[in-house]
Amino acid sequence: MGILDNVERGLEKLVRGAFSTGSRSQVQPLEIASALRKELDNRSLVLSQGRTLAPNVFTARLSDSDFELARQWGSPLAEELCDVVIAHVNSQQYGLQGPVRVSFEHDPHLRPGVFEIDSSIEKQTEPSRAAGPSAPAAPRRQPTRYQPVIEFDGHRHPITSSSVILGRSSEAGILVDDTGVSRRHLEIRTTSGRSYAVDLGSTNGSYVNGQRVDGQVELTDGSTITMGRSRLTFRLLPAQGGGSQR
C-alpha cells in the first residue's frame, strides 16, 4: 500500500464517527482531502526544471452546518488533512516555503455540502492566522523527508548519493548476483528530489513496472524494477539515515 493510501485510510477511520450520522448534503472529509490535492496541483508554480513550489497554507470555507461539524471535531481533523497535503507534496516532489497548515472558515453564503478551498504560499516566519472565532486550532507541520530505498533479497539499500550503479560487478553500489544481470546493468540517478532508472546498455534490458526502460524512467514509491530474474522495489521511506539493513 502506498503512502497516500495509508494517509487516506487514516483520515477515513478518524472521522467516520463524527460524520457518519450526517446527511448526503453534508461535506465529507474525503471530499476535502481530494480538493486539497487538486488545489496543490492547480496552484503549484514551476520555478525551474525539476523544482515546483506548492501552497502550504489552506483554508476550507464551509456552510453553517458543515463548519459546526468541523469545529466540533477540532484539531484532529485538521491534522489529518495536513498529513494528506504532506503525503501529496512528497509523492509529487513539490517544494514548500513553510510548514503546512489547514484551517476551517465559516462562509454563510455556502449551502450545506458545498465548500471552497483557498490556498497561499507563506514563509515559515509569517505568523499563523486564525481560521475564525470558534474554528479549531490550525496545526503547523513540517513535511516529512523521505529516503529513497531499494528493497532486494530481504535487504534495504538506502540511496544516499546522486548516482548508484546496480549490477553483477563487485564494484556496483548495489550488487545483484544474477547471471541474467550485466556487470553494470542499471543506474539510479537522483536529482532535485526525484529518482530515475537509467539502463546502462544491459544485455537483457531493464524494466520498471513491466515496461522496458528506454532512456530514463522516473521512479515512484512502490515501483518494481526487473533485471534478469531479479525483482527489486523502489520505496520512499521516512528518512532515518544509516546504511544497508535487514
Side-chain angles (χ1 to χ4, degrees):
M1 181 177 294
I3 296 170
L4 291 176
D5 293 328
N6 286 329
V7 171
E8 194 160 285
R9 283 172 64 88
L11 174 64
E12 185 175 20
K13 180 179 179 181
L14 174 72
V15 301
R16 187 179 297 141
F19 286 82
S20 60
T21 58
S23 68
R24 292 184 179 179
S25 63
Q26 291 173 335
V27 170
Q28 299 300 310
L30 291 180
E31 293 179 310
I32 300 177
S34 178
L36 288 171
R37 290 194 291 264
K38 184 176 181 180
E39 183 77 2
L40 280 165
D41 294 336
N42 291 341
R43 294 292 305 277
S44 293
L45 304 175
V46 178
L47 302 180
S48 60
Q49 186 175 5
R51 186 183 177 201
T52 302
L53 184 64
N56 60 300
V57 176
F58 303 84
T59 301
R61 291 190 282 115
L62 305 169
S63 68
D64 295 348
S65 58
D66 289 323
F67 178 76
E68 180 61 22
L69 278 175
R71 187 187 66 80
Q72 290 177 9
W73 197 243
S75 294
L77 174 58
E79 290 172 358
E80 290 295 328
L81 290 172
C82 279
D83 287 341
V84 169
V85 171
I86 290 170
H88 192 68
V89 164
N90 285 317
S91 71
Q92 300 300 313
Q93 301 293 329
Y94 293 149
L96 299 176
Q97 284 210 337
V100 172
R101 182 159 61 89
V102 176
S103 57
F104 309 101
E105 185 176 283
H106 173 220
D107 188 334
H109 300 292
L110 296 176
R111 67 180 186 272
V114 176
F115 68 96
E116 295 183 3
I117 299 291
D118 298 325
S119 65
S120 61
I121 296 173
E122 293 186 8
K123 294 183 179 180
Q124 186 171 0
T125 54
E126 296 184 7
S128 60
R129 295 180 289 117
S134 302
R140 299 171 65 86
R141 291 190 175 184
Q142 293 284 5
T144 303
R145 292 179 60 85
Y146 284 92
Q147 169 74 58
V149 170
I150 289 293
E151 294 183 344
F152 171 60
D153 196 24
H155 292 74
R156 286 179 176 173
H157 304 268
I159 298 174
T160 58
S161 62
S162 60
S163 174
V164 176
I165 303 298
L166 286 68
R168 195 159 43 87
S169 170
S170 59
E171 298 178 357
I174 298 178
L175 175 64
V176 182
D177 190 10
D178 181 333
T179 56
V181 171
S182 299
R183 293 177 59 81
R184 290 171 54 88
H185 195 108
L186 181 80
E187 179 184 8
I188 295 181
R189 298 175 185 170
T190 301
T191 178
S192 301
R194 296 174 182 261
S195 296
Y196 302 86
V198 182
D199 187 83
L200 299 177
S202 63
T203 301
N204 296 320
S206 305
Y207 298 81
V208 173
N209 298 328
Q211 301 296 316
R212 184 159 185 152
V213 176
D214 182 12
Q216 68 178 24
V217 174
E218 184 171 0
L219 299 170
T220 58
D221 183 50
S223 291
T224 298
I225 301 170
T226 303
M227 302 163 53
R229 295 180 298 277
S230 300
R231 289 169 59 89
L232 306 86
T233 303
F234 177 86
R235 297 294 309 279
L236 291 172
L237 303 177
Q240 296 178 348
S244 299
Q245 51 185 289
R246 289 189 181 273

